[in-house]
Amino acid sequence: MTIADNDGVRLANRLGTITLLTILLGSLPGRAICQTLDYTPITPSERGRWIVDGTIGLKSLTVVGPLAASWQTAWNQPSEWERSWSGFGKRYLQREADVAISNTLEAGVGAIWGEEPRYVRLGRGSIGARARWAIKTAFVTQRRDGRLHAAWGRYVGNTVNNVIENAWLPPSATTVGGTIYRSAAGFATRIGGNAWEEFWPDVVRLLHRRP
């Protein structure tokens, strides 16, 4: 086992511990919070739109995709694609494939028990409470009853997709450590997206209030 693999295993253990604690801590207070949120279960058509928007929506194609590809190009990950326009293009297309596969798996598997793939804003309370909500709901999410449960569809989408992608990714990204790292990065990205959805509407309102 290589150094990268050892690092990946340690990262997996830490991620598993964090996920378990988040589920255990989130399942109790989260239920009371969810019962006061204005939550309407996702419909089949909305589930389909969520998959499409996350993959080829305007924000995905023009903002998130280029930023992700630029970040990976700057850090030269994976190294075989090099810091070049060609490497940027490969990373951009890989990100699109990643989102298409993971979103389809998450929404499809989660549909079996009515799991909510979208982020539901808390929209009130202190900044700290809302930040904790954004972090927690990367690992747990609502079902049809409006209560928080472990996001099993999301776990499938964020792990199986990385195994599938090993079929075309270069060797440095397909090690055990590299595969686990991509799964961990997927959850980190979800937390960042949740935080954006939680706080950006407030920023917009504050900007509009300025004279």
Side-chain angles (χ1 to χ4, degrees), residues 60-82:
S60 178
L61 291 177
T62 63
V63 179
V64 182
L67 285 176
S70 297
W71 175 266
Q72 292 176 336
T73 301
W75 288 95
N76 198 26
Q77 295 177 341
S79 58
E80 290 90 340
W81 287 348
E82 303 180 342

Short mmCIF file of all heavy atoms in Angstrom, two decimals, residues 60-82:
data_model
loop_
_atom_site.label_atom_id
_atom_site.label_comp_id
_atom_site.label_asym_id
_atom_site.label_seq_id
_atom_site.Cartn_x
_atom_site.Cartn_y
_atom_site.Cartn_z
N SER A 60 -23.97 25.86 -13.17
CA SER A 60 -23.04 24.73 -13.23
C SER A 60 -22.06 24.89 -14.38
O SER A 60 -20.85 24.66 -14.22
CB SER A 60 -23.82 23.42 -13.39
OG SER A 60 -22.96 22.33 -13.51
N LEU A 61 -22.57 25.30 -15.55
CA LEU A 61 -21.73 25.38 -16.74
C LEU A 61 -20.81 26.60 -16.74
O LEU A 61 -19.68 26.53 -17.24
CB LEU A 61 -22.61 25.41 -17.99
CG LEU A 61 -23.36 24.11 -18.33
CD1 LEU A 61 -24.24 24.33 -19.55
CD2 LEU A 61 -22.40 22.96 -18.57
N THR A 62 -21.28 27.72 -16.20
CA THR A 62 -20.53 28.97 -16.34
C THR A 62 -19.82 29.44 -15.08
O THR A 62 -18.96 30.31 -15.15
CB THR A 62 -21.48 30.09 -16.81
OG1 THR A 62 -22.48 30.31 -15.80
CG2 THR A 62 -22.15 29.73 -18.12
N VAL A 63 -20.17 28.88 -13.93
CA VAL A 63 -19.55 29.34 -12.68
C VAL A 63 -18.83 28.19 -11.97
O VAL A 63 -17.61 28.19 -11.83
CB VAL A 63 -20.59 29.98 -11.74
CG1 VAL A 63 -19.91 30.42 -10.43
CG2 VAL A 63 -21.27 31.17 -12.41
N VAL A 64 -19.61 27.21 -11.51
CA VAL A 64 -19.03 26.14 -10.69
C VAL A 64 -18.06 25.30 -11.50
O VAL A 64 -16.95 24.99 -11.03
CB VAL A 64 -20.15 25.25 -10.11
CG1 VAL A 64 -19.54 24.17 -9.23
CG2 VAL A 64 -21.15 26.08 -9.32
N GLY A 65 -18.43 24.91 -12.71
CA GLY A 65 -17.55 24.08 -13.54
C GLY A 65 -16.21 24.74 -13.82
O GLY A 65 -15.15 24.14 -13.58
N PRO A 66 -16.20 25.97 -14.34
CA PRO A 66 -14.92 26.64 -14.59
C PRO A 66 -14.08 26.85 -13.33
O PRO A 66 -12.86 26.73 -13.36
CB PRO A 66 -15.35 27.98 -15.21
CG PRO A 66 -16.66 27.69 -15.84
CD PRO A 66 -17.34 26.72 -14.94
N LEU A 67 -14.73 27.18 -12.21
CA LEU A 67 -13.99 27.38 -10.96
C LEU A 67 -13.33 26.08 -10.51
O LEU A 67 -12.16 26.07 -10.10
CB LEU A 67 -14.91 27.91 -9.87
CG LEU A 67 -15.31 29.38 -9.97
CD1 LEU A 67 -16.32 29.73 -8.87
CD2 LEU A 67 -14.08 30.29 -9.85
N ALA A 68 -14.08 24.98 -10.56
CA ALA A 68 -13.53 23.69 -10.15
C ALA A 68 -12.37 23.28 -11.05
O ALA A 68 -11.33 22.81 -10.58
CB ALA A 68 -14.63 22.63 -10.18
N ALA A 69 -12.54 23.45 -12.37
CA ALA A 69 -11.48 23.08 -13.30
C ALA A 69 -10.26 23.97 -13.12
O ALA A 69 -9.11 23.49 -13.21
CB ALA A 69 -12.00 23.18 -14.73
N SER A 70 -10.47 25.25 -12.85
CA SER A 70 -9.35 26.17 -12.63
C SER A 70 -8.58 25.81 -11.37
O SER A 70 -7.34 25.83 -11.35
CB SER A 70 -9.87 27.61 -12.52
OG SER A 70 -10.48 28.02 -13.71
N TRP A 71 -9.30 25.46 -10.30
CA TRP A 71 -8.65 25.07 -9.05
C TRP A 71 -7.80 23.81 -9.25
O TRP A 71 -6.65 23.75 -8.82
CB TRP A 71 -9.71 24.84 -7.98
CG TRP A 71 -9.18 24.32 -6.68
CD1 TRP A 71 -9.09 23.02 -6.28
CD2 TRP A 71 -8.66 25.11 -5.60
NE1 TRP A 71 -8.55 22.94 -5.02
CE2 TRP A 71 -8.27 24.20 -4.58
CE3 TRP A 71 -8.48 26.47 -5.39
CZ2 TRP A 71 -7.71 24.63 -3.38
CZ3 TRP A 71 -7.93 26.89 -4.20
CH2 TRP A 71 -7.54 25.98 -3.21
N GLN A 72 -8.36 22.81 -9.91
CA GLN A 72 -7.62 21.58 -10.12
C GLN A 72 -6.44 21.78 -11.07
O GLN A 72 -5.39 21.15 -10.90
CB GLN A 72 -8.55 20.51 -10.68
CG GLN A 72 -9.60 20.04 -9.68
CD GLN A 72 -10.57 19.06 -10.28
OE1 GLN A 72 -10.78 19.03 -11.49
NE2 GLN A 72 -11.16 18.23 -9.43
N THR A 73 -6.61 22.68 -12.04
CA THR A 73 -5.50 22.98 -12.95
C THR A 73 -4.38 23.69 -12.21
O THR A 73 -3.19 23.40 -12.40
CB THR A 73 -5.98 23.83 -14.14
OG1 THR A 73 -7.01 23.13 -14.84
CG2 THR A 73 -4.84 24.11 -15.09
N ALA A 74 -4.73 24.62 -11.34
CA ALA A 74 -3.72 25.35 -10.56
C ALA A 74 -2.91 24.40 -9.68
O ALA A 74 -1.69 24.57 -9.52
CB ALA A 74 -4.39 26.42 -9.71
N TRP A 75 -3.59 23.40 -9.11
CA TRP A 75 -2.92 22.42 -8.25
C TRP A 75 -2.44 21.20 -9.02
O TRP A 75 -1.87 20.27 -8.43
CB TRP A 75 -3.85 21.99 -7.12
CG TRP A 75 -4.05 23.06 -6.09
CD1 TRP A 75 -5.06 23.98 -6.04
CD2 TRP A 75 -3.19 23.34 -4.97
NE1 TRP A 75 -4.90 24.81 -4.96
CE2 TRP A 75 -3.76 24.43 -4.28
CE3 TRP A 75 -2.02 22.77 -4.48
CZ2 TRP A 75 -3.18 24.98 -3.13
CZ3 TRP A 75 -1.44 23.31 -3.34
CH2 TRP A 75 -2.02 24.41 -2.68
N ASN A 76 -2.69 21.20 -10.33
CA ASN A 76 -2.25 20.12 -11.22
C ASN A 76 -2.74 18.75 -10.73
O ASN A 76 -1.96 17.81 -10.56
CB ASN A 76 -0.73 20.10 -11.36
CG ASN A 76 -0.28 19.30 -12.57
OD1 ASN A 76 -1.02 19.16 -13.55
ND2 ASN A 76 0.94 18.77 -12.52
N GLN A 77 -4.05 18.66 -10.53
CA GLN A 77 -4.67 17.41 -10.10
C GLN A 77 -5.70 16.97 -11.15
O GLN A 77 -6.64 17.73 -11.42
CB GLN A 77 -5.36 17.59 -8.74
CG GLN A 77 -4.41 17.90 -7.62
CD GLN A 77 -5.14 18.13 -6.32
OE1 GLN A 77 -6.35 18.42 -6.30
NE2 GLN A 77 -4.44 18.05 -5.21
N PRO A 78 -5.58 15.79 -11.72
CA PRO A 78 -4.44 14.86 -11.62
C PRO A 78 -3.25 15.34 -12.43
O PRO A 78 -3.41 16.06 -13.42
CB PRO A 78 -5.01 13.56 -12.19
CG PRO A 78 -6.09 14.00 -13.12
CD PRO A 78 -6.68 15.23 -12.52
N SER A 79 -2.07 14.93 -12.01
CA SER A 79 -0.83 15.48 -12.59
C SER A 79 -0.67 15.12 -14.05
O SER A 79 -0.01 15.86 -14.81
CB SER A 79 0.37 14.99 -11.78
OG SER A 79 0.42 13.56 -11.77
N GLU A 80 -1.25 13.98 -14.49
CA GLU A 80 -1.09 13.56 -15.89
C GLU A 80 -1.72 14.54 -16.86
O GLU A 80 -1.32 14.59 -18.04
CB GLU A 80 -1.72 12.17 -16.10
CG GLU A 80 -0.99 11.03 -15.43
CD GLU A 80 -1.49 10.77 -14.03
OE1 GLU A 80 -2.12 11.68 -13.43
OE2 GLU A 80 -1.27 9.68 -13.51
N TRP A 81 -2.67 15.34 -16.41
CA TRP A 81 -3.35 16.27 -17.31
C TRP A 81 -2.63 17.61 -17.41
O TRP A 81 -2.98 18.43 -18.26
CB TRP A 81 -4.80 16.46 -16.87
CG TRP A 81 -5.65 15.27 -17.15
CD1 TRP A 81 -5.31 14.21 -17.94
CD2 TRP A 81 -6.97 15.01 -16.68
NE1 TRP A 81 -6.34 13.30 -17.98
CE2 TRP A 81 -7.37 13.76 -17.21
CE3 TRP A 81 -7.85 15.69 -15.85
CZ2 TRP A 81 -8.62 13.20 -16.94
CZ3 TRP A 81 -9.09 15.13 -15.58
CH2 TRP A 81 -9.47 13.90 -16.12
N GLU A 82 -1.67 17.85 -16.56
CA GLU A 82 -0.78 19.02 -16.62
C GLU A 82 -1.53 20.35 -16.52
O GLU A 82 -2.76 20.41 -16.58
CB GLU A 82 0.05 18.98 -17.91
CG GLU A 82 0.88 17.71 -18.05
CD GLU A 82 1.68 17.69 -19.32
OE1 GLU A 82 1.35 18.47 -20.25
OE2 GLU A 82 2.64 16.90 -19.41
#
